[in-house]
Amino acid sequence: MAPKHPIDLSLLAETYEITPRRESEELTEWLSASYSLTDFEEKLLKDVFERTKDYINYFNEEELKIQLIAHIFYLAAIDLDGQIKVYYERPLSAVVGEFHLSVVADCLVATPMPFNKPRKPYFFLQESKKGKGDNKDLEAQMLMAMLIAQQKNQDGKPIYGSFIIGANWFFTTLIGTDYCLSQEFNAANYADLVQIVSLLRHLKTLILER
C-alpha cells in the first residue's frame, strides 16, 4: 500500500504524526558547530564563493551540485575510511507503518558496506534551483528519507537532514516524531557559507559519537 502522489509535507506529518518543534537540543548543538579553516581551505572556499555568489540562484540542479555542493562536501571532509562516507543519487525504500516509502536521495552520509554501498544512513540532503509549491517538495522528500532511515536503523538515534533551494540551506533533525527546522543559511553570503561547511563537517563527530 502506498500513499498518494505527489507526496507533500503535510501528508507525511499527518500520516506519521510528526510534531514540528521550534528548537531541539540536538539541532542547537549542531548549529553551534564551529571549525577553523586552514589557509588552503579558506583560499578554496573563497574561490568557490566568488565564482558562484552571483549565479547561485540561476544554476540548474546539476550546476548547483557540481559548482557548489561538491566543493562544500570536499571541504567538510566527512569521509572516514571504513566508517563514514558521502553518497550521491542513492535510492532508499522501506515499509514505514502502513506504507511503502521510496525516494532518491540527492546526497546522503552513511556508514559504508563493501563495494560502495551505504549501510546505515544518518544524514540526507535534497537540492533544487526551484522553490516550494510544485510537484517536487524538497522538504517532504528529505523528511521521507529520514523516516526511511529511522526504520532501517532501528536505533532511536537522531537523523539529520538538509534541503537547499537555490542559495538557501536549511538544516533539520528528526528524533522520534519530533521534527525541528533551522533558520536559513545563505550560501551567497560568505559567513553563512563558512558555517555551512562547519555544520557538515560536524556530522562526522555526531555520527562517531552514536
Side-chain angles (χ1 to χ4, degrees):
M1 188 176 186
K4 296 179 180 180
H5 294 286
I7 197 71
D8 64 37
L9 197 61
S10 294
L11 178 57
L12 276 178
E14 183 177 65
T15 301
Y16 295 104
E17 299 181 344
I18 301 298
T19 303
R21 303 289 188 190
R22 291 188 176 182
E23 59 183 28
S24 71
E25 180 180 340
E26 291 80 5
L27 184 62
T28 299
E29 177 194 351
W30 189 16
L31 296 180
S32 66
S34 180
Y35 292 86
S36 298
L37 299 176
T38 66
D39 290 343
F40 168 77
E41 290 169 342
E42 186 171 7
K43 183 178 184 301
L44 177 57
L45 188 61
K46 284 183 175 178
D47 181 58
V48 171
F49 173 71
E50 290 298 331
R51 286 190 292 107
T52 61
K53 65 179 182 180
D54 294 330
Y55 306 100
I56 189 169
N57 286 306
Y58 304 100
F59 286 152
N60 63 35
E61 291 179 33
E62 287 304 305
E63 290 167 343
L64 185 63
K65 188 175 297 179
I66 293 169
Q67 297 289 336
L68 181 66
I69 295 172
H71 293 291
I72 290 176
F73 272 93
Y74 172 77
L75 287 169
I78 298 170
D79 284 22
L80 189 61
D81 190 36
Q83 297 185 68
I84 305 171
K85 197 172 190 310
V86 179
Y87 298 88
Y88 295 93
E89 297 296 324
R90 295 296 179 125
L92 293 161
S93 63
V95 175
V96 184
E98 299 180 8
F99 299 106
H100 180 268
L101 302 183
S102 63
V103 67
V104 175
D106 290 340
C107 176
L108 66 90
V109 178
T111 56
M113 294 175 66
F115 302 106
N116 202 39
K117 183 177 180 179
R119 184 190 302 275
K120 282 193 169 186
Y122 298 117
F123 167 83
F124 299 94
L125 180 145
Q126 298 295 125
E127 54 93 7
S128 176
K129 68 173 184 177
K130 298 178 181 178
K132 296 184 180 183
D134 59 9
N135 63 356
K136 187 175 182 182
D137 189 328
L138 297 177
E139 190 173 2
Q141 289 185 352
M142 178 208 63
L143 180 56
M144 186 185 298
M146 296 168 87
L147 288 165
I148 293 169
Q150 276 189 338
Q151 180 64 31
K152 286 181 172 292
N153 295 353
Q154 291 289 313
D155 60 8
K157 301 292 186 180
I159 303 295
Y160 300 90
S162 179
F163 61 95
I164 308 169
I165 302 172
N168 297 318
W169 293 56
F170 301 84
F171 294 88
T172 68
T173 56
L174 180 66
I175 303 100
T177 58
D178 288 344
Y179 173 75
C180 197
L181 172 68
S182 77
Q183 78 278 14
E184 67 184 45
F185 293 82
N186 185 352
N189 175 284
Y190 184 71
D192 278 8
L193 187 59
V194 171
Q195 187 61 19
I196 289 168
V197 172
S198 287
L199 294 179
L200 294 176
R201 184 174 289 185
H202 193 56
L203 285 171
K204 182 184 293 185
T205 299
L206 294 172
I207 293 171
L208 291 176
E209 287 179 345
R210 298 176 80 91

